[in-house]
């Protein structure tokens, strides 16, 4: 029976690059791997053909011989037939998918799972007041987490004893056996990849090496922090495994809304009611700030909606670089009840003030449109 063309098997052109060859072989191997097609002899044969084709075409010298002399040239050089060693790089060819489908263990590239492992990170959502965000604060939070057992110090073995070498894998963390035409390596089921077993487990943690515990942790909140920002407390997460480092605790901050101030970055905004005589004659008003109140001058003839700027009275920068500003918008306060004397004085004032004429003006968003219309009208009469 004649062999199929290697390029045809992989579905690539004869000018295919190394990257294209690897990609084609990866797709073929994923589709026809025997573990994914149990009992399918045709799939296994296609899988072996693909491995043979890739073993030749991925080698520059073998590919050159094959391109010149075909299968006979490769066989003469001792490079033909199915080559099990092609699987030494198979996990790399799969592009990181070996772990997902178990191919890493299948071809002897499995990693020991029992070594030191970093503990899990934890998240805590903390709600604080607007004032705490402005001034900074220090608070304690209760965190449930896994900590190293104090009795065995995380070893999992009873005091006075220690883990022993796993008799099944002899400390390798893997067991190997023959399956078809290649050797299979699996994580040792007895020690779960640790290479060691605990014969006398610690009674306090039942051999786990860790116990659940509620820990009170102090959190320092920097001034100027905003909703959504997070604080990282290094090493305050869960304890690691087998001597691995602890994870981190991430505190996500949520700042309550303020009844008077509105925040935008480092700047604050508010509205200030001002007596109409003050805006007319000018004067001085008190504006609430984060630090108390400030006296602010109101110019004569100030209109409602005018914004007064108080520099450096906003929120502090969370990194300690200055403060934002406070913008106070004037809202003219019209009295709802007047005495007879007050009403009389206002009537006299109204007689002295000039009559205001209302001249309708186009909205700003309509001015450009009207100007364009006028220009077109002038052009065409």
């Amino acid at each position: 029976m004649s062999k199929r063309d290697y390029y045809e098997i992989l579905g690539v052109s004869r000018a295919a690059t190394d990257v294209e060859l690897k990609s084609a072989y990866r797709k073929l191997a994923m589709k026809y791997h025997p573990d994914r097609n149990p009992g399918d002899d045709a799939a296994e044969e296609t899988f072996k053909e693909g491995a043979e084709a890739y073993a030749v075409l991925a080698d520059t010298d073998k590919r050159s011989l094959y391109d010149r002399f075909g299968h006979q040239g490769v066989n003469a050089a001792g490079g033909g037939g199915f080559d099990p060693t092609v699987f030494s790089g198979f996990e790399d060819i799969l592009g990181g998918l070996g772990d997902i489908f178990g191919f890493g263990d299948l071809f002897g590239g499995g990693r020991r799972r029992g070594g030191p492992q970093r503990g899990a990170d934890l998240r805590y959502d903390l709600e604080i007041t607007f004032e705490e965000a402005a001034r900074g604060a220090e608070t304690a939070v209760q965190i449930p987490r896994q900590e190293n057992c104090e009795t065995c110090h995380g070893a999992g073995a009873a005091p006075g004893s220690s883990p022993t070498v796993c008799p099944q894998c002899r400390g390798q963390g893997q067991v190997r056996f023959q399956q078809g035409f290649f050797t299979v390596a699996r994580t040792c089921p007895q020690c779960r990849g640790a290479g060691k077993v605990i014969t006398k487990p610690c009674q306090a943690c039942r051999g786990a090496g860790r116990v659940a515990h509620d820990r009170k942790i102090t959190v320092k909140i920097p001034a100027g922090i905003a909703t959504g920002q997070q604080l990282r407390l290094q090493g305050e997460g869960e304890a690691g495994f087998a001597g691995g480092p602890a994870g981190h605790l991430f505190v996500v901050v949520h700042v309550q809304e303020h009844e008077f101030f509105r925040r935008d970055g480092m700047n604050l905004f508010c509205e200030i009611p001002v007596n109409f005589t003050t805006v007319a004659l000018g004067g001085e008003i008190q504006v609430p700030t984060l630090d108390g109140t400030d006296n602010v001058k109101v110019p004569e003839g100030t209109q409602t909606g005018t914004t007064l700027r108080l520099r450096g009275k906003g929120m502090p920068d969370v990194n300690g670089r200055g403060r934002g500003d406070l913008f106070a918008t004037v809202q003219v306060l019209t009295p709802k009840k007047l005495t007879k004397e007050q009403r009389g004085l206002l009537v006299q004032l109204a007689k002295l003030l000039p009559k205001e004429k209302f001249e309708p003006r186009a909205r700003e968003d309509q001015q450009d449109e009207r100007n364009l219309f006028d220009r077109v009208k002038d052009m065409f009469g």
Side-chain angles (χ1 to χ4, degrees), residues 340-358:
K340 184 176 181 180
E341 182 181 3
Q342 291 171 338
R343 179 176 292 275
L345 291 173
L346 286 177
V347 169
Q348 293 180 38
L349 176 62
K351 292 179 179 179
L352 296 174
L353 291 175
K355 298 294 182 181
E356 294 185 356
K357 294 183 179 180
F358 176 71

Side-chain angles (χ1 to χ4, degrees), residues 93-150:
I93 293 169
L94 290 178
L97 295 178
D99 289 341
I100 299 175
F101 292 100
F103 292 152
D105 285 347
L106 184 66
F107 296 110
R111 296 182 295 273
R112 290 179 56 173
R113 295 178 172 83
Q117 297 179 34
R118 182 175 173 273
D121 292 332
L122 298 177
R123 168 176 171 152
Y124 186 89
D125 289 87
L126 177 65
E127 185 175 68
I128 62 175
T129 65
F130 194 90
E131 288 75 15
E132 287 175 327
R135 299 185 179 91
E138 188 173 292
T139 186
V141 297
Q142 198 82 5
I143 304 295
R145 66 184 186 185
Q146 292 287 330
E147 297 185 350
N148 283 328
C149 175
E150 295 182 356

Side-chain angles (χ1 to χ4, degrees), residues 14 35-36 40 47 49 59 151-154 156 161 170 174 181-182 184 217 231 239 248 300 306 312 327 332 349:
R14 302 187 77 85
D35 276 7
R36 304 190 70 185
D40 189 338
F47 178 75
E49 282 185 334
D59 185 298
T151 302
C152 66
H153 305 289
S161 67
R170 298 180 181 180
Q174 294 179 337
F181 52 83
F182 49 82
V184 177
I217 299 174
L231 306 171
H248 305 315
E300 179 180 336
T306 299
F327 296 88
V332 176
L349 176 62

Side-chain angles (χ1 to χ4, degrees), residues 156-329:
S161 67
S162 59
T164 60
V165 176
C166 176
Q168 185 166 349
C169 67
R170 298 180 181 180
Q172 296 300 311
Q174 294 179 337
V175 290
R176 298 173 181 270
F177 54 93
Q178 197 72 22
Q179 180 174 320
F181 52 83
F182 49 82
T183 300
V184 177
R186 298 286 191 192
T187 299
C188 177
Q190 184 169 348
C191 66
R192 298 181 181 180
K196 296 181 179 180
V197 292
I198 298 173
T199 55
K200 294 182 179 180
C202 172
Q203 295 299 312
C205 63
R206 298 181 180 180
R210 306 193 308 169
V211 293
H213 187 79
D214 284 351
R215 177 71 62 182
K216 183 177 289 187
I217 299 174
T218 300
V219 180
K220 294 183 179 180
I221 304 167
I225 198 165
T227 293
Q229 292 184 317
Q230 61 183 15
L231 306 171
R232 189 183 78 162
L233 279 66
Q234 189 169 355
E236 294 293 355
E238 293 196 335
F241 294 91
H248 305 315
L249 172 63
F250 291 89
V251 179
V252 182
V253 175
H254 302 271
V255 182
Q256 297 174 358
E257 297 289 336
H258 196 272
E259 61 181 359
F260 182 69
F261 296 116
R262 179 176 61 83
R263 179 178 181 177
D264 184 5
M266 293 170 56
N267 295 326
L268 295 179
F269 297 83
C270 67
E271 294 183 349
I272 301 294
V274 182
N275 193 297
F276 77 99
T277 56
T278 304
V279 296
L281 301 175
E284 196 172 69
I285 60 173
Q286 287 190 330
V287 178
T289 70
L290 294 174
D291 309 309
T293 57
D294 274 21
N295 293 327
V296 180
K297 291 183 178 181
V298 178
E300 179 180 336
T302 296
Q303 302 296 310
T304 186
T306 299
T307 298
L308 306 175
R309 182 176 185 176
L310 285 71
R311 295 184 181 275
K313 295 297 181 178
M315 292 290 285
D317 179 76
V318 72
N319 296 312
R321 295 191 290 266
R323 293 180 61 171
D325 299 330
L326 171 61
F327 296 88
T329 301

Side-chain angles (χ1 to χ4, degrees), residues 334-374:
T334 304
K336 296 181 178 180
K337 294 183 180 180
L338 296 172
T339 65
K340 184 176 181 180
E341 182 181 3
Q342 291 171 338
R343 179 176 292 275
L345 291 173
L346 286 177
V347 169
Q348 293 180 38
L349 176 62
K351 292 179 179 179
L352 296 174
L353 291 175
K355 298 294 182 181
E356 294 185 356
K357 294 183 179 180
F358 176 71
E359 296 181 359
R361 292 184 299 173
R363 299 198 314 266
E364 291 184 2
D365 60 348
Q366 292 180 338
Q367 289 180 358
D368 291 341
E369 181 179 348
R370 291 193 176 190
N371 290 339
L372 177 61
F373 177 80
D374 292 338

